[in-house]
Amino acid sequence: MVEAWSTYRTGSAGQWTPRQLVAAKRGTTVSVVIPARNEEATIGAIVATIRQQLVERVHLVDELIVVDSRSSDATARVAAAAGAHVVSQDQMTRGLPRLEGKGDALWAGLVAASGDVVAFVDGDLEDFDARFVTGLVGPLLTDQSVGYVKGFYHRGLHHPAGVVEADGGGRVTELTARPLLNLFWPELSGFVQPLAGEYAGRRTLLERLPFVSGYGVEIAMLIDLLDLVGLDALAQVDLGERRHRHQSTEALGRMAAQIMQTVWVRLQRQGWVTADSEPSTMLTQFRRGGTDALPNLDREIVVTDVSVQERPPLREMADLATRRRRSRVAA
């Protein structure tokens, strides 16, 4: 089944030119949402590329939004100068409980966006190419049976000595996400990069999904979409090569822990586990050296809360979304 799906539902960004997709829109509107936190070094080039090639040269993208996720640098100013409409995560979620993490910024972006098709692109990409957008929206504009598209790419791991390990990136995918999906949702094992930060969907479908607040948002989407619309409504597209900033092993450990927390919640909802108590949400890690290093360990203990929360499906809060979009337009 996975082999058949992969053959049928896998495409390449080179299949569609921007002009072909403009012709295929037929009144469909397209929004691009970029969540960004302290990405002043990369956000300007990403926004400028999309604006110049997909808004001005051809009118494929109708709306280009950057969600400033509580940045402490000039991310918002750089994005606005490059031509994006910038909204703050807190502005879009005003009056709701404060949540942390990427998933909440994505949810805020969906609130702000008005397009029939919404594409999400990470804000830390280097050497950004417009094919990241055309590849994601291509299947949605040319095939009405597709509801959601996931990107995948070559993702090298750059070592300090200048050595590049081809496809060495995506360590959390290979060590955490892929084994979990194969174990419990093998239908999703055909996705090359289930944690990829580039994906697009029809608004009517995205508004039916809860958004996990932290790094579990991507795997939660796939699991929830499989349950909601089935595998055949999902597709993936090869976007070429992805270059971005790599995180430390300690940070990847926290990411993996949030993914496991997210999977646990889905297993409970689907009746796979019936535990009398919830799993611990505290992650203990060891950091070499430091002022608080323990005797005989030469390491300090770092404890992090890796619990995940969720924003409800947006269609359950339609009035709030309408008010936020009106206030954004008025501003």
Side-chain angles (χ1 to χ4, degrees):
M1 181 183 65
V2 171
E3 183 178 348
W5 174 84
S6 297
T7 302
Y8 175 53
R9 285 301 197 199
T10 300
S12 171
Q15 289 179 234
W16 309 277
T17 67
R19 294 190 185 279
Q20 288 173 330
L21 294 179
V22 169
K25 286 178 71 175
R26 298 186 181 88
T28 301
T29 54
V30 176
S31 298
V32 175
V33 172
I34 309 173
R37 182 173 188 176
N38 296 333
E39 303 294 356
E40 64 179 5
T42 52
I43 193 65
I46 296 172
V47 170
T49 298
I50 297 173
R51 185 158 193 85
Q52 291 166 10
Q53 298 187 27
L54 303 180
V55 177
E56 297 171 354
R57 187 176 301 171
V58 298
H59 191 59
L60 177 62
V61 173
D62 300 279
E63 192 174 46
L64 177 53
I65 298 171
V66 168
V67 181
D68 182 27
S69 184
R70 303 170 188 143
S71 297
S72 58
D73 66 1
T75 292
R77 179 176 57 79
V78 172
H85 186 95
V86 179
V87 300
S88 76
Q89 179 177 339
D90 292 332
Q91 171 193 354
M92 291 295 105
T93 59
R94 188 176 66 253
L96 302 175
R98 178 186 171 101
L99 299 184
E100 302 291 340
K102 177 184 177 182
D104 192 47
L106 293 169
W107 190 86
L110 185 60
V111 172
S114 60
D116 303 311
V117 168
V118 181
F120 297 99
V121 176
D122 277 347
D124 65 343
L125 302 180
E126 301 172 2
D127 300 326
F128 180 79
D129 193 288
R131 71 175 181 272
F132 273 60
V133 175
T134 56
L136 292 173
V137 303
L140 294 162
L141 295 177
T142 59
D143 187 343
Q144 291 300 309
S145 67
V146 175
Y148 178 88
V149 178
K150 190 82 169 177
F152 70 94
Y153 24 66
H154 296 290
R155 188 180 179 190
L157 179 61
H158 296 257
H159 295 282
V163 177
V164 179
E165 182 183 347
D167 293 321
R171 289 164 286 173
V172 176
T173 292
E174 298 304 326
L175 299 175
T176 304
R178 195 180 309 285
L180 287 169
L181 289 177
N182 276 269
L183 186 60
F184 296 109
W185 297 278
E187 304 97 318
L188 297 173
S189 62
F191 279 95
V192 178
Q193 283 162 335
L195 302 184
E198 285 67 47
Y199 38 88
R202 301 190 189 281
R203 163 173 291 282
T204 52
L205 181 55
L206 294 173
E207 288 185 340
R208 298 168 64 188
L209 297 174
F211 276 58
V212 172
S213 59
Y215 285 113
V217 61
E218 278 88 14
I219 197 168
M221 276 191 184
L222 286 181
I223 295 169
D224 294 345
L225 283 164
L226 179 66
D227 187 53
L228 195 61
V229 294
L231 184 63
D232 191 55
L234 314 181
Q236 63 180 349
V237 170
D238 186 350
L239 301 178
E241 184 177 0
R242 187 187 204 268
R243 295 187 60 195
H244 69 126
R245 182 183 66 253
H246 292 289
Q247 299 195 55
S248 67
T249 301
E250 183 178 304
L252 294 179
R254 294 191 293 270
M255 184 185 300
Q258 284 202 321
I259 288 167
M260 295 178 74
Q261 292 281 341
T262 302
V263 166
W264 176 268
V265 171
R266 265 77 196 153
L267 291 172
Q268 281 187 313
R269 290 178 183 174
Q270 297 186 11
W272 284 78
V273 293
T274 54
D276 295 330
S277 60
E278 298 295 317
S280 171
T281 61
M282 306 307 291
L283 175 67
T284 299
Q285 296 175 296
F286 295 88
R287 184 179 299 161
R288 183 179 293 276
T291 56
D292 297 323
L294 296 179
N296 303 322
L297 282 179
D298 192 28
R299 292 166 176 82
E300 62 178 330
I301 293 178
V302 181
V303 180
T304 307
D305 183 357
V306 292
S307 60
V308 294
Q309 298 171 288
E310 295 183 0
R311 293 291 185 198
L314 192 56
R315 73 172 185 174
E316 297 178 7
M317 308 182 73
D319 291 344
L320 177 139
T322 301
R323 292 197 304 273
R324 292 292 187 269
R325 290 190 199 111
R326 285 174 180 171
S327 64
R328 181 178 72 81
V329 171

